[in-house]
Amino acid sequence: MVTASTHDQSTPFLIFCLAIEAITKRFPHQINTKKAHLHLLQLVSDQERESVCVREREREMAEFVVTTVATKLSQMVTQELILLHGVNDELEWMERELGWIKCFLKDADVKGKRDQRVKNWVNDVTELAYRAEAAIDSFLIKVRPWKVGPTWINSFNPMALIARHHVGVEIREIKKRLNEIKVARETYGIQNLGDDGDTSNSISIIIRRRHFSLQYSHDADIVGLVNDQKILLERLLMNQQQQGFCVISIVGIGGLGKTTLARKLYRNNAVSNHFHKCIWLTVSQENSLMGLLRKMLEEVKVIKKEELEKLEKMTENDLIEMINDSLRAQRILIVLDDIWQEDVCIQMQGIFRNVNNGSRVLITTRFHNVAKRADPRSAPYQLQVLNDDESMKLLLKKAFLYEDADQVNCSSELLDIGRRLMRKCGGLPLALIVLGGFLSIRDKTPVVWRRVLETMDWEAEGRECQEILALSYEDLPHQMKLCFLYLGAYLEDSEIPGKELIRKWIAEGFIPQEGRKTMEDTAEAILEELIQRSLIHANTRKSNGSVKTCGIHDLLLDFARSTAKKDRFLRVCSNQNDQPFPSTMCHRVAIHIINEPLNNGINTTHNKLRTLMAFTPSGSEKWVNPPIISALLRFQFLRVLDLAGIGIKKAIPTEFKLMIHLRYLRLILFIHGFMFPASIGDLQLLETIDIKNVRMPSTLWNIKTLRHVKCPTCIPPQSLRLENLLTLDCVTFGPYETISWSFPNLRKLKVSIEEEHHGAMLNHLLSELRQLISLHIEALESHIEINTTKDFPFHDRLLSLSLEGLWPKGDDAISELPIYLTKIQLRGCRLKEDPMPKLGMLQHLVTLKLIENVYLGETMVCSAGGFPRLESLFILFDDPKQMLLAHQEAMPNLEEWRIERGAMPKLTFLYFTSCKKLKMLPDLQHVISLQTLKLRCMSEELMLRSEEERGEDWHKIQHVPKRSLETW
């Protein structure tokens, strides 16, 4: 007998059917089962093939859930014998039955092709497995708090007895339903096909064989757009012939490269130097006009804090008038990406009324009528498909990811097959990119590429791109499929934080435990794998190379959503169009709140909902009233709750404490002085908590499963040990004189110190941390000193360091900094000695931020050979997003800054502001790698010396492609 407990939860079972078995038996030596399966799909119609794929995914989902529950049952039976007294027999029986049922799922998939009742049987298995998992979790949560002292006492604890009674009743109900499912299986004649044991497509193997790519090439580098860019660049920059309102439109079908071309123009050096300001706004289908106008105003005009609330109350005409006033004062380029509605174009005509200074609007759209409405005088630019040469170059560039496409050394046979594959893509860049990503993870041999060519149904006219997307998706291991489908929850063109995505995947149970690696490491490898396959793209990366934000192309997003909906994996609803809260059962719901107000149409009958997320377009958070929040918190089986897209101004209702299955919780609360309810401690399975603007109660630390804690301030108890904790942001020491905290696996720590003796407590804490890679120390009082030492056990592992406060050790402290740091941020250190010579010796430093009074000296020198890998340098008073404080100074006494030849050979970005005593620029002409220079609020003399062509320092910066000089 093969039971679920004998298999690794992380290894999904390959999908087979009786027809495949027949083909395999007929051709045992000529064809393997996987190829037989692909051959079979070629013999059926499109509709039949789609039906087969849907059934396969449903069977995979059922098998994944059953395996998860059976594994949990096995662990529970062996570890909780005393607590399970009276119900462990039922649990053992249920474990055996689920193991048997899993073995019958393959045959059910085959028979479901002919019998809808069998297909329903698979769905019943899935639902029952979810129910069993909820029962197990409920029992453990209710019983484990009393698992103290002698075991015989535990068995007679009243609360444990009550919990045991309730779980016993539920398990007996599940047992009854399992018997019914067992009878139905026999009635339908579903047989055990056995386990084929094929693990070639498992996540563990894929992760072991994959290699990380820390250098990500943006799609702005793809081929075939050079001539298009040249033509549109001329239209953007013409100012003598046409100073008035002008909209330039790029039109084309999805996947043709409109956004890529627009980004190439937006980042062009000539464009950034021609316009005073360049603004990028993503429109898509999921944006309200008012929200778009507010975002546009915030970009073209500096909005003071006291004006933000007024902005929410402004009418459409008020916003248009304010934008119009700003546009008349400066020449601006506004890019509006992915416009679907003509109404947006009509607004542009009012915004640019009487603007005659050469400002431009560049739009991308799939619709010719939208482009014509934007500006009838300006002919839309129709983007064409790639020719054969361009298509082949792009395919090879993606297939041979780390090689020059012009110098790829291929056999003539491989190139011939590649050309045949290329022609099947119809010149569509997205199809070529995804197919290239698919080929990049395979052997570059004619046999392998020919197999791909023979796999697809290339006869389906106009469906080439969908076929390629389906091919790449079906090739993924099951858990990786779930990770990809999960992106369907997000808004179009979202900047999706990598950390957020990874933590949600873990909370959902998609990520297996791979040996001694953390689940976060495994999830990051999966994220990189999806990027390499070109199913998603990395938008930005951190200084250590990991993904900061990622995104997904609209066509891939549509594919993910439609597939997720068919599989009953995820539903997206919106208050903008006809996508109401689903009336039928589903396990995950994402609410897109585009318009206001948020209606009360929340269907609370989905009592088994596992995931609920609410998203709003960036910068347009919505406020909701208490009844809505109360409705959202009634789903007691939720594992993931993310309501960060909506602002909550009222206290959390009492229903919150019932969500005992939560693994991931993210909220934004706007309640002055509010303490989060103490019942947070009842959520004994919570792994990630991300709460803004409120204080956390001490009961939070009763949760032993915590992995990531992010909140404004929190004070753990004096004695605490959390084995699983990886992130702690932000913690204070409170009233304690001593602490006994043990976080053996902590990777990221942000700590605030309020008293002088806290420094010693901090050093004691740091002396116990061996896995730390990111450390942020903030002194809340100006007189408190920050002392660091090279004796900490994490010294050779730390990658990111942020110190905010007085730094008395100065030069000696810099000499003791960890040598592998890739990012340093210093604030208010008040150093008297120049820190640059010692900082420049850090060989791995990529990003350096010096903020607000870091150095009080008059001269600063970057020595030859210093900062060999530095790419970004910030010298400013405050964060670039908070430049309203421009009257303050970053380095108040700095009069001379020297950069010697050979210093900072890789510097590409320099942000320099608020050094009023500096009279001239350093010798930046030696820094030939510099691509972007931003000067803000410097002395009038320095700004005059930096003026284009006539300034005395012009020769120092004339080689910099992107320059921005602003005097406030």
mmCIF file of all heavy atoms in Angstrom, residues 71 102 128 212 251 273 359 390 863 895:
data_model
loop_
_atom_site.group_PDB
_atom_site.id
_atom_site.type_symbol
_atom_site.label_atom_id
_atom_site.label_comp_id
_atom_site.label_asym_id
_atom_site.label_seq_id
_atom_site.Cartn_x
_atom_site.Cartn_y
_atom_site.Cartn_z
ATOM 1 N N THR A 71 0.281 14.329 5.539
ATOM 2 C CA THR A 71 1.562 14.542 6.218
ATOM 3 C C THR A 71 1.341 15.148 7.592
ATOM 4 O O THR A 71 1.958 14.752 8.584
ATOM 5 C CB THR A 71 2.464 15.454 5.375
ATOM 6 O OG1 THR A 71 2.681 14.851 4.105
ATOM 7 C CG2 THR A 71 3.803 15.662 6.057
ATOM 8 N N LYS A 102 -5.467 9.297 -2.460
ATOM 9 C CA LYS A 102 -4.485 9.950 -3.334
ATOM 10 C C LYS A 102 -4.038 9.014 -4.448
ATOM 11 O O LYS A 102 -3.791 9.440 -5.587
ATOM 12 C CB LYS A 102 -3.270 10.400 -2.498
ATOM 13 C CG LYS A 102 -2.280 11.227 -3.302
ATOM 14 C CD LYS A 102 -1.118 11.662 -2.445
ATOM 15 C CE LYS A 102 -0.243 10.494 -2.071
ATOM 16 N NZ LYS A 102 0.981 10.931 -1.360
ATOM 17 N N LEU A 128 -12.847 18.192 1.139
ATOM 18 C CA LEU A 128 -12.752 17.449 2.395
ATOM 19 C C LEU A 128 -11.350 17.542 2.981
ATOM 20 O O LEU A 128 -11.175 17.617 4.209
ATOM 21 C CB LEU A 128 -13.128 15.984 2.157
ATOM 22 C CG LEU A 128 -13.315 15.168 3.445
ATOM 23 C CD1 LEU A 128 -14.510 15.676 4.243
ATOM 24 C CD2 LEU A 128 -13.513 13.686 3.106
ATOM 25 N N PHE A 212 21.585 31.213 -10.184
ATOM 26 C CA PHE A 212 21.065 32.555 -9.973
ATOM 27 C C PHE A 212 21.625 33.521 -11.005
ATOM 28 O O PHE A 212 22.760 33.428 -11.420
ATOM 29 C CB PHE A 212 21.436 33.068 -8.571
ATOM 30 C CG PHE A 212 20.518 32.553 -7.515
ATOM 31 C CD1 PHE A 212 20.806 31.363 -6.869
ATOM 32 C CD2 PHE A 212 19.370 33.241 -7.177
ATOM 33 C CE1 PHE A 212 19.964 30.880 -5.886
ATOM 34 C CE2 PHE A 212 18.529 32.753 -6.196
ATOM 35 C CZ PHE A 212 18.828 31.569 -5.547
ATOM 36 N N VAL A 251 0.569 52.420 -30.847
ATOM 37 C CA VAL A 251 -0.574 51.510 -30.922
ATOM 38 C C VAL A 251 -0.100 50.126 -31.378
ATOM 39 O O VAL A 251 0.765 50.007 -32.250
ATOM 40 C CB VAL A 251 -1.634 52.049 -31.908
ATOM 41 C CG1 VAL A 251 -2.856 51.129 -31.935
ATOM 42 C CG2 VAL A 251 -2.043 53.462 -31.528
ATOM 43 N N ASN A 273 17.208 65.216 -20.744
ATOM 44 C CA ASN A 273 17.849 66.529 -20.741
ATOM 45 C C ASN A 273 16.996 67.596 -21.420
ATOM 46 O O ASN A 273 17.133 68.786 -21.138
ATOM 47 C CB ASN A 273 19.212 66.451 -21.442
ATOM 48 C CG ASN A 273 20.234 65.687 -20.616
ATOM 49 O OD1 ASN A 273 20.189 65.714 -19.389
ATOM 50 N ND2 ASN A 273 21.132 64.981 -21.278
ATOM 51 N N SER A 359 5.676 70.848 -23.953
ATOM 52 C CA SER A 359 5.377 69.649 -23.161
ATOM 53 C C SER A 359 4.721 68.602 -24.058
ATOM 54 O O SER A 359 4.079 68.930 -25.057
ATOM 55 C CB SER A 359 4.454 69.990 -21.992
ATOM 56 O OG SER A 359 5.117 70.787 -21.037
ATOM 57 N N GLU A 390 15.190 39.948 -36.714
ATOM 58 C CA GLU A 390 15.001 40.489 -35.358
ATOM 59 C C GLU A 390 14.425 39.422 -34.436
ATOM 60 O O GLU A 390 14.836 39.296 -33.273
ATOM 61 C CB GLU A 390 14.069 41.694 -35.418
ATOM 62 C CG GLU A 390 14.646 42.883 -36.168
ATOM 63 C CD GLU A 390 13.596 43.928 -36.492
ATOM 64 O OE1 GLU A 390 12.387 43.588 -36.496
ATOM 65 O OE2 GLU A 390 13.981 45.078 -36.739
ATOM 66 N N SER A 863 39.556 58.761 -2.497
ATOM 67 C CA SER A 863 40.903 58.441 -2.950
ATOM 68 C C SER A 863 40.893 57.554 -4.189
ATOM 69 O O SER A 863 39.936 56.813 -4.446
ATOM 70 C CB SER A 863 41.679 57.746 -1.830
ATOM 71 O OG SER A 863 41.663 58.518 -0.644
ATOM 72 N N GLU A 895 33.253 72.448 2.347
ATOM 73 C CA GLU A 895 33.651 73.479 1.399
ATOM 74 C C GLU A 895 34.352 72.907 0.169
ATOM 75 O O GLU A 895 34.334 73.525 -0.897
ATOM 76 C CB GLU A 895 34.586 74.478 2.091
ATOM 77 C CG GLU A 895 33.931 75.235 3.234
ATOM 78 C CD GLU A 895 34.883 76.220 3.890
ATOM 79 O OE1 GLU A 895 36.081 76.272 3.464
ATOM 80 O OE2 GLU A 895 34.469 76.919 4.831
#
